[in-house]
């Protein structure tokens, strides 16, 4: 799939405020600073589309970007950021989960995992919670440029093993680096395959 047009549509504070219409949504969710906004920019080849920061907590709303006038990429606030107030954390968590569980247009959720880290409880809890609520999801390991091959394998394998403790079928997963453009085409292919399977239905 070629990205021909990228448009920022809207930042919303709730599902009700989100853009109306039928375009399918591909949503990016994960810990603060895991690289959600950077990945959206890499996928669209538009470094200015979503705001990025080296400090966690940059994205604070539900952001819809319309791609090729046919589907949305949606950037959400990160979770697990200890330095913001408890009220903020609860507010963002509720806003994101309500959107993820109730949006009728959600085609696929990508949950991002920082491949430099050992399995984090908060990631596993969120993946299990959203899976139990029947949200269709894939996993994306990010920042693979930051680890050696051996460490990458150890961290991916141990995460996958933890997932298999509670999942019958392993969700599809991708290993990526936005800075080195590793795995970006695989994500694009997954998006276009999902769009094709929706339109065939
Ligand atoms: P919040 O909006 O705070 O939830 O964060 P986010 O998940 O959107 O992260 P963001 O895209 O803002 O990136 C956080 C930091 O990670 C930035 O300094 C990025 O440059 C860096 N980063 C993102 N992806 C990669 C990657 O693939 N490799 C490397 N080395 N750095 C990355
Ligand atoms: Mg962000």
């Amino acid at each position: 799939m070629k990205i021909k047009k990228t448009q920022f549509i809207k930042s919303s504070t709730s599902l009700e405020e989100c853009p109306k219409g039928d375009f399918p949504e591909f949503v990016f969710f994960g810990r603060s600073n895991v690289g959600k906004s950077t990945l959206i920019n890499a996928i669209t080849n538009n470094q200015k589309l979503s705001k990025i920061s080296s400090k966690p907590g940059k994205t604070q709303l539900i952001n819809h970007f319309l791609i090729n006038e046919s589907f949305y990429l949606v950037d959400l606030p990160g979770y697990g950021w200890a330095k913001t107030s408890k009220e903020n954390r609860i507010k963002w968590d509720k806003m994101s989960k309500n959107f993820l569980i109730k949006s009728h247009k959600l085609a696929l959720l990508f949950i991002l995992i920082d491949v430099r880290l050992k399995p984090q409880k908060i990631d596993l809890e969120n993946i299990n919670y959203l899976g139990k609520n029947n949200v269709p999801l894939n996993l994306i390991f990010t920042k693979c440029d930051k680890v050696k091959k051996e460490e990458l394998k150890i961290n991916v394998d141990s995460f996958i093993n933890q997932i298999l403790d509670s999942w019958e079928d392993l969700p599809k997963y991708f290993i990526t680096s936005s800075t080195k453009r590793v795995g970006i085409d695989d994500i694009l292919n997954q998006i276009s395959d999902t769009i094709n399977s929706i339109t065939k239905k």
Side-chain angles (χ1 to χ4, degrees), residues 29-41 50-60 75-79 81 92 112 114 116 141-146 176-182 184:
F29 193 43
R31 285 161 64 85
S32 266
N33 215 242
V34 70
K36 300 174 290 295
S37 305
T38 310
L39 185 63
I40 288 179
N41 293 352
S50 194
K51 302 261 180 325
I52 289 167
S53 171
S54 56
K55 294 197 195 94
K58 183 69 186 170
T59 310
Q60 306 198 351
D75 198 3
L76 290 178
Y79 53 76
W81 180 35
W92 292 341
L112 279 63
D114 190 329
R116 296 174 299 180
F141 293 95
T142 63
K143 308 193 186 186
C144 77
D145 59 288
K146 287 279 204 182
T176 65
S177 160
S178 295
T179 43
K180 295 274 180 333
R181 294 198 65 81
V182 176
I184 303 300

Side-chain angles (χ1 to χ4, degrees), residues 37-95:
S37 305
T38 310
L39 185 63
I40 288 179
N41 293 352
I43 289 169
T44 54
N45 238 328
N46 180 347
Q47 300 316 315
K48 292 192 184 132
L49 193 61
S50 194
K51 302 261 180 325
I52 289 167
S53 171
S54 56
K55 294 197 195 94
K58 183 69 186 170
T59 310
Q60 306 198 351
L61 297 165
I62 305 169
N63 295 291
H64 277 75
F65 303 99
L66 184 61
I67 313 302
N68 294 354
E69 296 184 347
S70 63
F71 66 92
Y72 287 119
L73 296 184
V74 183
D75 198 3
L76 290 178
Y79 53 76
W81 180 35
K83 283 199 182 135
T84 190
S85 67
K86 198 175 171 197
E87 290 87 73
N88 261 345
R89 258 182 290 164
I90 292 171
K91 186 174 75 184
W92 292 341
D93 199 58
K94 269 195 185 152
M95 174 179 81

